[in-house]
Amino acid sequence: MIVLSYICAIVPLLLFLAYLQIMDSFSLAKPKRIIALIIAGVACCLLCEGIYHLTGANGSKLLKSIVEELIKGSVVLYLVLSRKVGLLGDATIYGSCVGVGFGMMENILILSAGAEANLWHSIFLGFEAAVMHIGCTSTLAMAMIMASQERFGKSTKAKSLGYAIAFV
């Protein structure tokens, strides 16, 4: 039952990512980069957990959300600024990969901490993480790629404003 709970908490995330990959027929996303970004998402989750424990911010949902989005977003920002992503579809997939890794690790930590091994709870965790982490991080990636493509203007100030708006 416990193994099934972990599977149910992780599979929706992977299915969502597979769906995005299938829908983007022009994707330049390579499997090696996809795996690396999922691992980066796992590292982001572990970093956030460390920050929560060091600062005692475990109880504040708002503070946790802000920290999570800033840390996940920093990976996406690095990809955009280093020109490792240039297309909107690929930005969506890359942002989703970070969200998948984050969501999988978060669900593993929740279940490992002794959360109810209820199958419905695990299924809910999987779909909640898919919507929350994948949705937010892929939307952030799309907004950042649009800012980098000078949709907010050509100046550095305009691009910076675009990135800031994306984070907000």
Side-chain angles (χ1 to χ4, degrees):
M1 180 70 163
I2 293 173
V3 172
L4 189 57
S5 291
Y6 282 94
I7 291 170
C8 289
I10 291 172
V11 166
L13 293 151
L14 297 174
L15 288 175
F16 194 92
L17 182 60
Y19 175 75
L20 284 175
Q21 186 70 26
I22 290 167
M23 293 301 294
D24 185 22
S25 60
F26 294 109
S27 176
L28 301 174
K30 302 287 185 246
K32 188 176 179 180
R33 181 163 291 163
I34 288 173
I35 291 168
L37 289 171
I38 291 172
I39 292 169
V42 169
C44 288
C45 182
L46 294 173
L47 179 60
C48 286
E49 287 298 317
I51 290 170
Y52 304 150
H53 290 297
L54 287 174
T55 62
N58 262 341
S60 173
K61 292 276 188 195
L62 177 63
L63 185 59
K64 285 177 75 171
S65 298
I66 292 169
V67 168
E68 288 176 4
E69 296 312 316
L70 287 173
I71 290 176
K72 289 186 298 183
S74 65
V75 174
V76 175
L77 183 61
Y78 165 75
L79 292 171
V80 171
L81 292 178
S82 63
R83 300 187 188 269
K84 295 189 183 302
V85 59
L87 300 174
L88 192 59
D90 289 333
T92 305
I93 290 171
Y94 291 159
S96 297
C97 291
V98 175
V100 164
F102 193 99
M104 285 190 325
M105 191 70 230
E106 184 177 66
N107 287 350
I108 289 168
L109 292 172
I110 289 169
L111 292 173
S112 297
E116 262 183 64
N118 179 337
L119 194 59
W120 291 110
H121 180 253
S122 298
I123 292 169
F124 175 77
L125 278 176
F127 282 101
E128 176 199 28
V131 170
M132 238 178 23
H133 295 300
I134 295 173
C136 287
T137 314
S138 63
T139 302
L140 177 64
M142 289 186 288
M144 283 188 182
I145 202 70
M146 288 172 33
S148 75
Q149 293 173 344
E150 301 173 352
R151 304 244 174 125
F152 292 93
K154 293 184 178 193
S155 71
T156 303
K157 187 176 180 180
K159 286 182 182 181
S160 298
L161 177 63
Y163 295 137
I165 290 170
F167 270 107
V168 171

